[in-house]
Amino acid sequence: QVQLVESGGGLVQAGGSLRLSCAASGRDFSDYAMGWVRQVPGKEREFAAGVSWNGGFKFYGNFVEGRFNISRDNAKNTVHLQMNRLKPEDTGVYFCVTGPSLDYGLGYPYWGQGTQVTVSL
């Protein structure tokens, strides 16, 4: 059973930072791309960040604008999203995702349960 468990969400003020983490289990993820997708209230789900299986390629959604960094540790089956200069419009649920191919979108077969990020004024 593939499981993705997110952590690190919480409440921060605008301009602050959060570091999201995802622990993956159930298979060898060393040949899988991993990423983050977010659900902002009232909007469609949106790709935030993705990283290739070896960490050599990283891609971000247009809204990120240089504020986020994705990283992974294949030895620990973990992926992280460092989020800086957060804005109130970043508020939403952030999902860890994984699949056999890096997808700049929503085409990942495995999703976590999500972690809540709230950015206040």
Side-chain angles (χ1 to χ4, degrees):
Q1 302 179 22
V2 172
Q3 288 192 98
L4 304 173
V5 181
E6 302 95 332
S7 62
L11 174 65
V12 297
Q13 291 190 20
S17 299
L18 282 175
R19 185 173 187 257
L20 306 184
S21 297
C22 173
S25 62
R27 77 178 311 279
D28 182 1
F29 293 91
S30 61
D31 61 346
Y32 266 32
M34 303 192 76
W36 295 88
V37 172
R38 74 178 187 181
Q39 176 77 68
V40 173
K43 298 181 65 177
E44 299 294 317
R45 289 183 176 180
E46 182 177 28
F47 173 80
V51 59
S52 61
W53 68 271
N54 64 352
F57 299 92
K58 299 178 180 180
F59 302 92
Y60 300 93
N62 289 335
F63 73 88
V64 170
E65 299 174 329
R67 299 177 297 133
F68 298 175
N69 182 62
I70 188 170
S71 61
R72 66 185 296 168
D73 184 342
N74 286 349
K76 296 182 177 181
N77 287 335
T78 58
V79 61
H80 307 278
L81 185 67
Q82 178 66 45
M83 306 190 296
N84 303 308
R85 288 144 45 208
L86 285 162
K87 307 174 182 179
E89 51 262 45
D90 292 320
T91 293
V93 178
Y94 286 70
F95 299 90
C96 181
V97 297
T98 189
S101 299
L102 202 163
D103 192 322
Y104 188 75
L106 308 181
Y108 292 91
Y110 301 108
W111 294 60
Q113 82 290 337
T115 186
Q116 176 70 40
V117 170
T118 303
V119 185
S120 64
L121 290 170

